[in-house]
Amino acid sequence: MNDRTGKFAGDNPFDIARGWLAEAERTEPNDPNAIALATVDPSGLPNVRMVLLKEIADDGFVFYTNYESAKGQELAASGKAGFVMHWKSLRRQIRVRGTVTRQDGPEADAYYASRSLKSRLGAWASMQSRPLSSRAALLAEVAKVSARHGLNPARPPFWGGFKISPVEIEFWGDGDFRLHDRFVWRRSGPDAPWEIIRLNP
């Protein structure tokens, strides 16, 4: 029996996710597109940090970062990631797991160009995740790259996007007496059909 009604209804999980994010943009006070991104290091130890999701495409979830950062290197090594989006105002969350590919073509160029100049220069200046002697040293590096790259810096070759192509998407909604609603969409690969299962809370 299909009892996916209301906010859980739909035949496409990406459409449902976009709808939930659009609602959150009207109710969350800060960063409704924030996700807690999970990766693993070479020893299998997990790493989790907040990043901003920039697009829910028709086939995946896209965010941008420094490829040489800890998360960039871990994503490149494993080719897999997971994340959770949680909205306190809506009392909902989305969990995603899948495979990862780099997005470093024209779409990455366009997104980089849309950022503020200071953010673009900051991407050049920061050796993300590596040791830093002081904030003054970072600001000095920003000044150097500002002089070198001017008012229209090109996207750094070490900075771009990642797309998570999910094999699992779970939609969670808060329920009375902690009897939450959970529906998980699962598939064996990016081109396989979805199976939808209601889970116990």
Side-chain angles (χ1 to χ4, degrees):
M1 177 180 173
N2 181 359
D3 58 351
R4 291 186 303 108
T5 59
K7 58 183 173 281
F8 295 100
D11 298 321
N12 183 319
F14 300 106
D15 289 340
I16 297 171
R18 280 189 285 261
W20 283 26
L21 178 57
E23 285 186 66
E25 287 170 347
R26 297 189 292 270
T27 59
E28 274 306 284
N30 293 300
D31 296 331
N33 60 328
I35 62 175
L37 176 72
T39 58
V40 293
D41 70 12
S43 71
L45 191 65
N47 248 332
V48 181
R49 78 288 284 163
M50 303 304 295
V51 300
L52 297 180
L53 185 70
K54 290 302 178 182
E55 181 186 5
I56 301 176
D58 291 336
D59 59 351
F61 299 82
V62 180
F63 63 93
Y64 292 85
T65 191
N66 185 315
Y67 291 138
E68 297 173 359
S69 66
K71 62 182 164 303
Q73 293 184 52
E74 290 168 3
L75 289 166
S78 72
K80 299 172 184 172
F83 72 79
V84 62
M85 305 180 81
H86 176 246
W87 300 293
K88 292 183 75 171
S89 62
L90 295 179
R91 297 166 69 176
R92 297 181 205 171
Q93 70 179 26
I94 299 174
R95 293 176 58 241
V96 171
R97 298 195 302 160
T99 57
V100 179
T101 54
R102 274 173 58 150
Q103 299 285 104
D104 54 4
E107 291 180 350
D109 291 338
Y111 172 65
Y112 179 79
S114 75
R115 305 175 86 212
S116 71
L117 176 60
K118 289 182 178 180
S119 293
R120 283 178 281 157
L121 293 169
W124 274 103
S126 174
M127 296 177 65
Q128 195 174 97
S129 301
R130 281 156 283 182
L132 176 65
S133 61
S134 67
R135 183 162 186 83
L138 177 61
L139 296 177
E141 187 61 26
V142 171
K144 286 180 191 175
V145 299
S146 299
R148 188 180 315 133
H149 295 286
L151 298 177
N152 190 25
R155 179 174 61 87
F158 52 81
W159 190 97
F162 283 103
K163 179 188 285 183
I164 301 177
S165 300
V167 294
E168 185 172 297
I169 305 175
E170 181 189 317
F171 296 93
W172 178 99
D174 182 68
D176 293 337
F177 312 110
R178 302 195 66 78
L179 298 177
H180 312 306
D181 289 305
R182 297 174 63 192
F183 291 94
V184 62
W185 298 58
R186 288 185 181 137
R187 59 185 178 179
S188 59
D191 298 319
W194 291 105
E195 177 186 20
I196 308 168
I197 304 166
R198 178 186 267 276
L199 301 177
N200 271 281

